[in-house]
Amino acid sequence: MLGSTLSFGFMALAIRYATAYVPTQEVAFFRNAFGLVALLPMLMRPGRTPLKTQQLPRYFLRSAIGLASMLCAFWALGHLPMAQAISLSYSTPLFVTIAAVLWLGETVRMRRWAAVVIGFIGVLVIVRPGTGSFSAGSLVAVAAAVLSSIVAIQIKQLTRVDSADTVVFYTYVFWVPLSLIPALFVWVWPTGIAWLWLALTGVLGTLGQLLWTRALRLGEVSALTPISFMQLPLVSVMAWLLFGEVLDRWTVIGALIILGSNAYIAHREAVLARRAKSAAVSAAAKPGE
């Protein structure tokens, strides 16, 4: 998880540098293209089970919504203070909780709802609507989090049938051509060091996804989630050193509220999952065994 966090953190820096050379839509295209190139050797190695699926229309929808989220997130990283953009991205689990209730019919009890409400207070502290410090651009970062939460629900549904590698592969297969379409309208040929930043967005993004998936397979979400929060101080320090961005106190306060809310939600989900597993084992056990 720490490796994943570092990968995503440095990817955010690469995106900031890349957007100085080419438009956001083009950064998204090259992130996906280079990401697919980095992914293919791992997915196409000899002896691997063929990556087949019967859910292509659902992959198309997942990829389209994911691309919209990506464009919003990349724009935020390129135009907002980086600490603010990263902090607002952490509101995704709050929206996932709501989407799970509306979309999957999951039951969320009072304590988790309270954590969600507290998390949204953190979002309001960062965005500060109605004040002189409010920026409409911050709503783009919030929109990225909303769309990302929908994608999270779709991935949960897709992985009930297909393997994690299959989900990642077909997502990239759709992402590359879909992201090329908006990029063509604003196309600027990259030159010089721009190619390095664009390649790094793809390689680091793919590496972060692979490490994140494997981390969740090996450990509990409640234990791993706090490690992922290290992305915020990493990016904040690098943005200060490289771009002279000063960390706003309201961003710090709001981020701490959001991160605390996320940590509690992850803890509660882990506790409930363990209880459900324990109950299932008890119900399956025969008397005297």
Side-chain angles (χ1 to χ4, degrees):
M1 182 60 82
L2 181 59
S4 172
T5 299
L6 292 174
S7 297
F8 284 132
F10 285 114
M11 182 191 73
L13 292 171
I15 291 169
R16 167 58 72 89
Y17 277 115
T19 53
Y21 296 92
V22 299
T24 300
Q25 299 94 314
E26 202 170 334
V27 175
F29 165 71
F30 280 111
R31 180 259 181 272
N32 295 328
F34 282 115
L36 180 59
V37 170
L39 190 67
L40 286 177
M42 289 174 275
L43 296 183
M44 298 303 181
R45 63 182 181 269
R48 167 170 284 282
T49 304
L51 300 172
K52 297 180 179 180
T53 184
Q54 302 295 322
Q55 305 187 84
L56 286 179
R58 298 180 73 175
Y59 278 108
F60 176 84
L61 179 61
R62 173 261 181 273
S63 299
I65 297 174
L67 176 61
S69 174
M70 182 185 297
L71 290 172
C72 290
F74 283 18
W75 186 94
L77 286 169
H79 296 83
L80 295 177
M82 294 194 70
Q84 185 182 86
I86 296 296
S87 298
L88 290 173
S89 74
Y90 280 118
S91 64
T92 296
L94 309 178
F95 293 108
V96 169
T97 302
I98 296 173
V101 173
L102 298 177
W103 200 325
L104 302 178
E106 291 187 3
T107 300
V108 175
R109 304 195 184 281
M110 186 60 64
R111 280 186 282 185
R112 272 198 289 172
W113 278 125
V116 170
V117 171
I118 292 171
F120 280 124
I121 292 174
V123 173
L124 292 175
V125 169
I126 296 174
V127 176
R128 281 169 287 162
T131 69
S133 301
F134 171 73
S135 168
S138 61
L139 298 181
V140 177
V142 175
V146 174
L147 293 169
S148 182
S149 70
I150 297 174
V151 170
I153 298 298
Q154 291 176 309
I155 291 175
K156 189 171 184 178
Q157 293 178 317
L158 289 168
T159 52
R160 290 174 178 172
V161 179
D162 295 336
S163 69
D165 285 348
T166 300
V167 172
V168 172
F169 173 71
Y170 282 102
T171 295
Y172 274 95
V173 166
F174 279 111
W175 260 352
V176 173
L178 284 175
S179 59
L180 178 61
I181 296 172
L184 289 175
F185 289 96
V186 292
W187 190 267
V188 176
W189 276 107
T191 57
I193 198 171
W195 285 109
L196 172 63
W197 301 124
L198 291 169
L200 284 175
T201 62
V203 174
L204 290 171
T206 297
L207 178 62
Q209 283 184 320
L210 292 172
L211 291 174
W212 178 73
T213 302
R214 280 149 182 77
L216 294 181
R217 187 183 302 167
L218 294 171
E220 290 189 355
V221 175
S222 58
L224 295 171
T225 297
I227 300 175
S228 70
F229 296 160
M230 290 300 297
Q231 183 182 353
L232 180 58
L234 168 68
V235 171
S236 299
V237 170
M238 297 302 290
W240 173 63
L241 291 174
L242 299 174
F243 310 117
E245 293 184 2
V246 179
L247 191 58
D248 176 73
R249 63 171 179 170
W250 294 109
T251 299
V252 174
I253 295 171
L256 290 175
I257 295 173
I258 294 172
L259 299 185
S261 172
N262 283 346
Y264 181 78
I265 290 173
H267 169 72
R268 286 298 302 167
E269 289 179 348
V271 169
L272 294 174
R274 284 196 298 269
R275 287 179 181 173
K277 184 177 180 179
S278 177
V281 171
S282 298
K286 296 179 180 179
E289 292 187 347

